[in-house]
Amino acid sequence: MKVEKNNVIALVYTLQIPDSDGEMDIVEVVTEEDPMYFIQGISGLPEGFENQIEGLAVGDHFEFTVSPEAGYGEFDPEAIVDLPKSVFQMPDVDQEELLQIGNIIPMTNEEGERMHGQVVEIKEDVVIMNFNHPLAGKEMHFEGKILSIRPATQEEISHGHVHGEGGVHHH
């Protein structure tokens, strides 16, 4: 079997991105103890990643770089937004704890889409949030290996995620 649309893929990889000095920083390591499982074609992974592993077989090694355009897009200065502090007043939430610089906070925009924002700065009545993906504008270098491939079930395809081993367990 090959990596192709609607197959469940398990793989391991190391993700590196160049830092400001051009050195490679390892930002994520997925090992054989806890591989990543996903359905090719509906993984939510960057298109550039799926395209690169399309057609590989079990045991194949891969190494490639995904450009920002094929990854999480360029860094968008307009995705840095000032929000009134009142937005963060929620029952049972300690606002002081929530609003720490660097915290990632799940939010919903006017269209009801879920987004993740990172707290950049806290002023008296405004919070500056960055809604860029942490890897926006970054070149991502992946290196890894395909561990297993199987066809996804109809249920997995309709739910859009893997069930069973390595997947989402519905109780």
Side-chain angles (χ1 to χ4, degrees):
M1 291 187 71
K2 301 269 190 222
V3 175
E4 54 190 29
K5 190 169 166 50
N6 295 339
N7 278 346
V8 172
I9 315 302
L11 49 72
V12 291
Y13 66 83
T14 301
L15 166 58
Q16 301 181 68
I17 58 171
D19 65 14
S20 48
D21 304 327
E23 298 289 316
M24 294 304 272
D25 279 350
I26 294 180
V27 284
E28 196 177 3
V29 178
V30 174
T31 63
E32 298 204 16
E33 285 71 51
D34 188 15
M36 180 168 79
Y37 287 82
F38 62 90
I39 304 172
Q40 177 78 351
I42 50 174
S43 65
L45 292 161
E47 202 178 306
F49 183 89
E50 285 196 342
N51 292 347
Q52 290 279 1
I53 61 167
E54 182 84 22
L56 295 180
V58 171
D60 283 356
H61 283 264
F62 55 84
E63 185 172 348
F64 55 82
T65 297
V66 175
S67 68
E69 299 76 38
Y72 292 105
E74 290 297 347
F75 188 85
D76 178 5
E78 289 184 9
I80 296 180
V81 197
D82 292 11
L83 294 175
K85 244 188 198 166
S86 56
V87 172
F88 300 94
Q89 278 158 354
M90 293 173 252
D92 311 325
V93 174
D94 180 342
Q95 198 178 356
E96 290 287 307
E97 265 182 43
L98 183 67
L99 295 179
Q100 303 277 344
I101 289 178
N103 269 9
I104 307 274
I105 303 176
M107 303 186 80
T108 310
N109 66 9
E110 287 82 1
E111 289 82 52
E113 291 171 8
R114 294 189 65 85
M115 309 164 62
H116 286 83
Q118 187 170 29
V119 179
V120 182
E121 198 181 330
I122 299 156
K123 298 185 172 172
E124 202 166 322
D125 45 8
V126 207
V127 179
I128 300 175
M129 299 287 289
N130 176 3
F131 286 99
N132 280 292
H133 189 280
L135 294 170
K138 307 274 193 217
E139 201 170 78
M140 297 179 284
H141 183 78
F142 289 95
E143 196 173 328
K145 180 176 145 186
I146 309 291
L147 298 183
S148 69
I149 302 175
R150 67 169 172 82
T153 63
Q154 277 314 118
E155 188 187 27
E156 286 174 323
I157 292 167
S158 69
H159 284 205
H161 54 237
V162 178
H163 295 170
E165 189 187 357
V168 176
H169 297 278
H170 293 286
H171 298 293

